[in-house]
């Protein structure tokens, strides 16, 4: 029955505060099974807090969330078994080779034939040629791709990618984008947090903009672009970019709002 549920992730009314700082103020969204959902927002908007709650690392003050049919508050162990989390900083062992990293994780998860698991993932993420090299020799993009590959061992149906391209150069970002597209093409549900507008535009089936602890818009790229009228210049229709939509919907923050964002940034990175 659970496998037929349309939504892999459901979030209703999530709230989270740190002392007097309200990081989440009632967050609601759904993520369809097998889709890429981008949670887009500035530094300190609360993106990482949402991911930490959904991956059971912290508890919400109010509201509810479920992943793959399991409640994050009451069925935390089942949630942990069904999701994988890849953060902003690769969790790979630099002393080992790429292949050795994958084999180690496969053994820790008691999978049959760890060697085959490793080789299949190396092939899938275009790392076969670098398989025997120490990770210390890898580029930033290669490390992040290996990190994503490691998080897929055991075939989790849902993966959280928390700002996966932070600190990467443009070529490395493109490599990671391709890896994320590969995930979705294989049926994995991806919740992606990002502060990069082009990343959300390139990858996501749906985009939610998180601002001051609330989702202020949520839709497909086409739906978000309809929030702003197209402009006509010399009879050529110009569609608004996601950047223009983002800036229009969040508006101009007052000084207090900027102070809150700065405080959030210290808490939520």
């Amino acid at each position: 029955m659970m496998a037929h549920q349309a939504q892999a992730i459901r979030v209703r009314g999530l709230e989270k505060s740190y002392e007097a700082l309200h990081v989440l103020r009632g967050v609601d969204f759904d993520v369809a099974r097998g889709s890429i959902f981008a949670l887009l927002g500035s530094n300190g908007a609360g993106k990482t807090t949402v991911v930490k709650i959904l991956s059971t690392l912290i508890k919400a003050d109010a509201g509810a969330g479920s992943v793959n049919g399991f409640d994050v508050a009451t069925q935390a162990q089942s949630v942990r078994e069904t999701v994988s989390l890849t953060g902003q900083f690769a969790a790979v062992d630099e002393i080992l080779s790429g292949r050795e990293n994958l084999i180690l994780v496969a053994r820790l998860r008691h999978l049959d034939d760890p060697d085959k698991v490793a080789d299949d993932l190396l092939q899938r993420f275009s790392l076969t040629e670098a398989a025997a090299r120490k990770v210390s020799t890898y580029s930033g993009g290669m490390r992040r791709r290996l990190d994503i590959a490691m998080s897929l061992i055991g075939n989790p149906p849902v993966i959280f990618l928390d700002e996966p391209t932070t600190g990467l150069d443009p070529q490395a970002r493109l490599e990671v984008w391709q890896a994320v597209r590969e995930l979705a093409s294989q049926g994995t549900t991806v919740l992606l947090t990002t502060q990069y507008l082009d990343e959300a535009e390139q990858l996501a089936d749906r985009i939610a903009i998180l601002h001051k602890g609330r989702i202020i818009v949520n839709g497909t790229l086409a739906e978000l672009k309809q929030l702003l009228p197209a402009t006509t210049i010399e009879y050529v229709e110009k569609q608004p970019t996601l950047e223009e939509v983002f800036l229009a919907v969040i508006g101009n923050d007052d000084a207090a709002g900027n102070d809150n964002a700065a405080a959030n940034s210290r808490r939520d990175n």
Side-chain angles (χ1 to χ4, degrees), residues 20-196:
L21 184 64
H22 299 295
V23 179
L24 302 179
R25 299 168 176 264
V27 172
D28 304 273
F29 63 86
D30 293 331
V31 180
R33 196 171 300 281
S35 69
I36 301 175
F37 183 93
L39 198 55
L40 176 64
S42 307
N43 267 340
K47 304 184 301 296
T48 297
T49 298
V50 171
V51 169
K52 285 181 176 178
I53 290 170
L54 290 177
S55 53
T56 75
L57 295 176
I58 61 175
K59 290 186 179 295
D61 297 333
S66 66
V67 181
N68 217 35
F70 299 111
D71 184 275
V72 297
T74 62
Q75 299 173 292
Q77 184 57 41
S78 296
V79 171
R80 293 185 197 111
E81 291 170 357
T82 202
V83 305
S84 190
L85 171 62
T86 296
Q88 300 174 32
F89 307 102
V92 297
D93 188 327
E94 295 194 356
I95 297 174
L96 301 178
S97 71
R99 189 169 188 272
E100 287 168 339
N101 267 282
L102 291 166
I103 289 172
L104 176 62
V105 174
R107 285 178 175 161
L108 289 172
R109 297 190 180 172
H110 308 292
L111 298 186
D112 295 333
D113 203 348
D115 288 16
K116 184 178 188 304
V117 170
D119 290 339
D120 288 347
L121 285 167
L122 290 163
Q123 180 71 33
R124 183 170 166 184
F125 288 93
S126 304
L127 291 168
T128 303
E129 290 186 8
R133 284 168 42 197
K134 286 187 177 181
V135 173
S136 58
T137 69
Y138 282 19
S139 67
M142 291 168 70
R143 289 179 190 222
R144 203 62 54 86
R145 275 154 45 209
L146 178 63
D147 194 32
I148 294 172
M150 289 167 64
S151 71
L152 286 180
I153 291 175
N155 295 313
V158 179
I159 184 169
F160 300 133
L161 299 178
D162 190 20
E163 304 212 17
T165 63
T166 294
L168 297 185
D169 62 45
Q171 179 57 39
R173 291 179 72 210
L174 291 175
E175 292 174 6
V176 173
W177 287 0
Q178 185 55 44
V180 175
R181 292 189 187 101
E182 174 72 14
L183 292 182
S185 72
Q186 300 287 329
T188 304
T189 302
V190 179
L191 173 59
L192 168 80
T193 73
T194 185
Q195 58 182 307
Y196 300 126

